[in-house]
Structure formats: C-alpha cells, structure tokens
Amino acid sequence: LHAPDINYGLKSWAQAARQRIKTPVIAATGCAGKTSTLSMLRQCLLGHGDVRGDAVFAQNAALQMINWSDTSPCVFAEIPLQTLDEDLQLIAPDILIITNLPRAPQGEEQVHTQRQRLHSDEQSIAQEILDALQLLRPGATLVLSQEICSSPALVQVAKDKDVRALTFGQHHKAQVQGIPLRHRGLRAMLNQESVDLPLQAEGGHMAMNALAT
C-alpha cells in the first residue's frame, strides 16, 4: 500500500473495507456505554463475546474497519462523539445507536443560570442528533433515547431522509420501554406490549444499554 502519509493510507484501506462488507454495519456513539452496548449486541447476534473485539473499539474508526471480518453476519464500530461527523461518513452504518449525550453540569449556581445552561445544552444535543441524521444514508436506522428524541425537527428530518428512528428508555412514549422490576432490573415493553424479556443489569446506566441493545 503506497500512500503519502499513514492516516491517508489507513483511511483508504478502511474505505476499501467498507465496500467489501455486505453484511449489516452497526455503530454506537455517545458519551458512555458504547463498548458495553456493542458487547451485548455481539453476544445477542453472534452468540459469544470477544475480548479482542472490545480492544479494537479503542482504536480509531479506520483501524476498526480494517479488522472487520468478511465471514461475520454483522460488523460493529464504536464512534467517539468528538469525531462523529467524520466517522459517520467513513463507516456509513446501517444502524446507528446513540447511547446517551452529555448534559450540562449542575452545580450550585443560581436557578436562572441553571435554566440558561440547560436550554443551551438541549439545543446543542438536538443539533448533534440533527447533524448525525444528515449523514445517515436513506434506509438506515437510528436508535436513541426517547428523552433526547422530542424535537419535531428531528422527526421531520428523519422522515425526509427515509431514516427509521427507534426510541428506548423508561419514558411511556419509548418504543422499547423499560419497566422497573420490584427487586432489580427492568422488563422490556415493545410498542406498549409486554414481552418476557427481563433485563438484569447492575445500575440504571447498564439497564439503559440493555434497552438500547
């Protein structure tokens, strides 16, 4: 492989890998929970874990793609929020999961200041999702928390782009809703219909990752 610099060479190699892969490409982004969610998906879809695969997620998008297997029924990629725009164009996922997005820190500031920050943060979150939607190809699926999917503009953009949006969370409007169990964990409801799917997860954060999965 001859290239003027290593980054250009790796990106070209990754683009070749994307053209080679014909199976579904599943990517996850967010401020936390990416590796856990993809690990759960690998267990569910492939029937096994993969410590080496989890280690690959720590690399940049190009190196992850170079390690994709031609024989796997699906492949996975982890995208940091900081490089979301660039990596989405390279990976072109069939399914993008947004595990969560950062919220403005809440300290002991005055209530007025807190409200200003929260409003600004919500606008920033909505813009991040809208930017991601614009980069998804028609026919792709976006999976995200119901709590961050309340913007009418987002719904309209998804419809215009022919992107299917699926939501999860404990909100009653979520398509995959988590109902807290009496002892521990959640039970999933799909489109308001209860299913026998108890999710045993330590803490609310991992329970949300399980709902996303």
Side-chain angles (χ1 to χ4, degrees):
L1 177 65
H2 296 275
D5 63 71
I6 189 169
N7 290 326
Y8 179 86
L10 288 174
K11 186 174 180 179
S12 298
W13 196 355
Q15 289 171 334
R18 184 63 184 94
Q19 293 176 2
R20 184 184 75 244
I21 292 296
K22 305 302 180 186
T23 54
V25 175
I26 304 173
T29 191
C31 63
K34 301 180 289 295
T35 302
S36 298
T37 300
L38 292 178
S39 295
M40 291 181 195
L41 278 168
R42 186 189 288 113
Q43 186 70 45
C44 293
L45 298 175
L46 306 183
H48 61 79
D50 185 353
V51 176
R52 175 183 174 275
D54 287 351
V56 171
F57 289 149
Q59 308 301 317
N60 64 33
L63 286 172
Q64 292 183 57
M65 296 169 72
I66 290 168
N67 280 277
W68 282 349
S69 169
D70 293 355
T71 59
S72 178
C74 55
V75 295
F76 306 94
E78 183 174 310
I79 307 176
L81 279 175
Q82 296 87 342
T83 58
L84 181 58
D85 290 358
E86 179 182 352
D87 289 349
L88 274 182
Q89 296 179 69
L90 188 63
I91 294 170
D94 299 287
I95 299 172
L96 174 64
I97 303 168
I98 301 178
T99 58
N100 47 38
L101 290 172
R103 292 286 182 181
Q106 296 296 306
E108 297 182 357
E109 298 89 351
Q110 294 181 349
V111 174
H112 178 68
T113 303
Q114 288 179 334
R115 287 176 176 171
Q116 282 185 322
R117 289 187 177 184
L118 183 58
H119 179 69
S120 175
D121 189 59
E122 288 176 343
Q123 286 184 320
S124 176
I125 287 170
Q127 190 58 53
E128 285 189 65
I129 300 173
L130 286 171
D131 290 345
L133 262 176
Q134 296 290 355
L135 295 172
L136 290 177
R137 62 172 184 77
T141 298
L142 176 65
V143 180
L144 73 168
S145 167
Q146 176 66 41
E147 282 72 15
I148 57 176
C149 183
S150 57
S151 167
L154 186 148
V155 176
Q156 187 59 49
V157 170
K159 186 175 180 180
D160 293 343
K161 290 280 295 182
D162 191 25
V163 169
R164 183 186 185 197
L166 298 178
T167 61
F168 65 91
Q170 295 191 48
H171 193 281
H172 71 279
K173 290 186 177 180
Q175 289 161 283
V176 183
Q177 183 184 1
I179 306 297
L181 297 176
R182 178 176 298 179
H183 301 293
R184 189 175 64 179
L186 299 172
R187 180 172 298 278
M189 290 186 65
L190 307 181
N191 293 315
Q192 306 302 317
E193 294 186 11
S194 181
V195 295
D196 188 19
L197 186 62
L199 307 173
Q200 295 299 328
E202 295 293 337
H205 169 66
M206 289 302 290
M208 288 300 103
N209 294 340
L211 280 181
T213 300

